[in-house]
Amino acid sequence: MSKAPAHENLAHWDKVAVERRESGHISGNWRRLGAAAGAESIGLSRIQINPGMWSTPAHTHGRAEEIFFVLDGSGLLWQEGVNFDITEADCFVFPGGMGPHTLKAGPDGLDVLAFSENIGDAATFLPRSNVSWLGVSWVETGTLDHPLRLEAAQGPPEVKESSSLRPGNLARLKDVKAVGTSKKTIGRIRRDLGLAVGSHSSGLAQISVAPGKLSCPPHCHSAEEELFVVLEGEGALLLGDEEYELKQGCVVARPPGTGIAHAFRGAGGGLTLLAYGTRRSTDLCYYPRSRKVSFSGIGVIGQISPVDYWEGEE
């Protein structure tokens, strides 16, 4: 068995370069995990926010959806002028078009994974500084200063007493229904975090894979891209006829259209991972063990028999 990472779509968060962001009340370390694993239409960053500091300027997205998972620490989810306490294993979503939002770390810092859709023509608006990120550049209004410095000049957003209510876009892992599956080769417990927080165009699940069992039948997608992060335990990535060892911090990207099936197998005490995916109604998902094809847009699964290109044509 190969040692991870040993594939262009495998990375480990400890090996990804740190990008330091610091300006006024904004301070933290960023690691671009999705890019390191070769993801194409998905962005994934690990953001470690310094104690008492903020992750980003308050901002809104035009179309791109973001899903966050808290790895460690505590802090505040600030959205549309209201703040909510967040802590380890919380999950929350910012759908495209949602009002301004950002994060503030507590006294011990805040460590989060931020999954997002990479939409080339999407716009990100910073309402307090009146600038927008559009395509490949900032659209500035009456100024030539950098947006982070503009935001720093505004000072941190106003923080009020945290609301005791839980908004619909925020859920705790322990409160999300666990669904177990036990088959001859499949053994897992799955929590659909994306469904719980109301995501629309993307999904996120926590999957615990039993030792010696698979997470799901091996499969590959034509249009949907998936990205996986190992949270704890050990196991293996099955990629076609190859296997790669996995441990905590491993990141696996599965771009669409590769034709190479993948699945995960638990080892030792099992394997727990986050599974993020785009939702594409045009997707075809192929299962080589059974020769099934799933047509996502219409919810139909059928079985096919491969034939030669010229069969029946002459």
Side-chain angles (χ1 to χ4, degrees):
M1 183 184 295
S2 302
K3 292 183 178 181
H7 188 278
E8 62 182 358
N9 293 132
L10 273 172
H12 192 278
W13 61 30
D14 288 343
K15 303 296 184 181
V16 177
V18 173
E19 176 187 336
R20 181 71 180 164
R21 295 190 179 182
E22 190 166 12
S23 183
H25 58 283
I26 299 167
S27 181
N29 292 333
W30 291 60
R31 288 178 171 87
R32 298 292 189 178
L33 305 183
E40 297 177 355
S41 62
I42 294 173
L44 169 61
S45 293
R46 182 180 182 181
I47 310 171
Q48 294 172 298
I49 312 165
N50 292 114
M53 304 302 279
W54 298 74
S55 60
T56 62
H59 61 281
T60 66
H61 293 281
R63 292 193 293 131
E65 181 172 81
E66 298 175 303
I67 303 181
F68 284 71
F69 184 84
V70 180
L71 290 173
D72 196 15
S74 63
L76 298 177
L77 161 60
W78 188 97
Q79 58 185 35
E80 300 177 326
V82 182
N83 42 272
F84 306 89
D85 293 330
I86 54 175
T87 190
E88 182 180 351
D90 275 356
C91 179
F92 43 94
V93 65
F94 301 128
M98 183 177 179
H101 53 268
T102 184
L103 305 177
K104 182 184 181 183
D108 297 320
L110 185 62
D111 189 356
V112 300
L113 291 174
F115 298 85
S116 65
E117 302 170 284
N118 283 340
I119 300 177
D121 61 349
T124 302
F125 177 52
L126 279 58
R128 301 190 330 135
S129 300
N130 203 31
V131 294
S132 294
W133 176 260
L134 186 63
V136 296
S137 64
W138 286 102
V139 179
E140 300 168 320
T141 304
T143 179
L144 296 178
D145 208 352
H146 191 278
L148 284 185
R149 288 191 291 272
L150 290 173
E151 182 70 14
Q154 300 289 335
E158 180 184 2
V159 173
K160 304 175 182 178
E161 182 178 355
S162 292
S163 173
S164 60
L165 302 175
R166 300 286 284 183
N169 68 319
L170 170 64
R172 291 215 162 101
L173 177 66
K174 65 180 182 179
D175 296 330
V176 177
K177 182 180 179 181
V179 178
T181 301
S182 180
K183 303 289 184 180
K184 184 177 180 180
T185 60
I186 311 299
R188 74 180 188 193
I189 297 174
R190 185 177 186 274
R191 288 177 169 85
D192 194 329
L193 301 175
L195 179 64
V197 298
S199 62
H200 300 296
S201 56
S202 59
L204 182 69
Q206 188 219 44
I207 302 173
S208 296
V209 190
K213 297 282 188 166
L214 298 181
S215 58
C216 58
H219 64 282
C220 55
H221 293 276
S222 67
E224 179 174 319
E225 182 165 15
E226 295 179 298
L227 192 62
F228 305 88
V229 181
V230 177
L231 296 180
E232 59 184 18
E234 56 186 12
L237 164 66
L238 280 62
L239 200 56
D241 296 328
E242 302 294 329
E243 293 190 14
Y244 301 89
E245 290 181 1
L246 296 176
K247 61 182 180 180
Q248 183 186 46
C250 283
V251 181
V252 179
R254 295 310 306 135
T258 66
I260 301 174
H262 66 270
F264 296 89
R265 184 175 61 234
L271 182 71
T272 300
L273 51 85
L274 289 176
Y276 175 90
T278 56
R279 292 174 176 167
R280 300 289 182 261
S281 61
T282 56
D283 184 59
L284 301 178
C285 184
Y286 178 58
Y287 300 85
R289 295 197 309 185
S290 59
R291 294 181 176 177
K292 295 194 303 287
V293 174
S294 174
F295 299 81
S296 298
I298 55 177
V300 173
I301 298 178
Q303 198 167 42
I304 66 170
S305 296
V307 298
D308 182 78
Y309 176 79
W310 295 108
E311 185 168 329
E313 299 295 337
E314 297 293 333

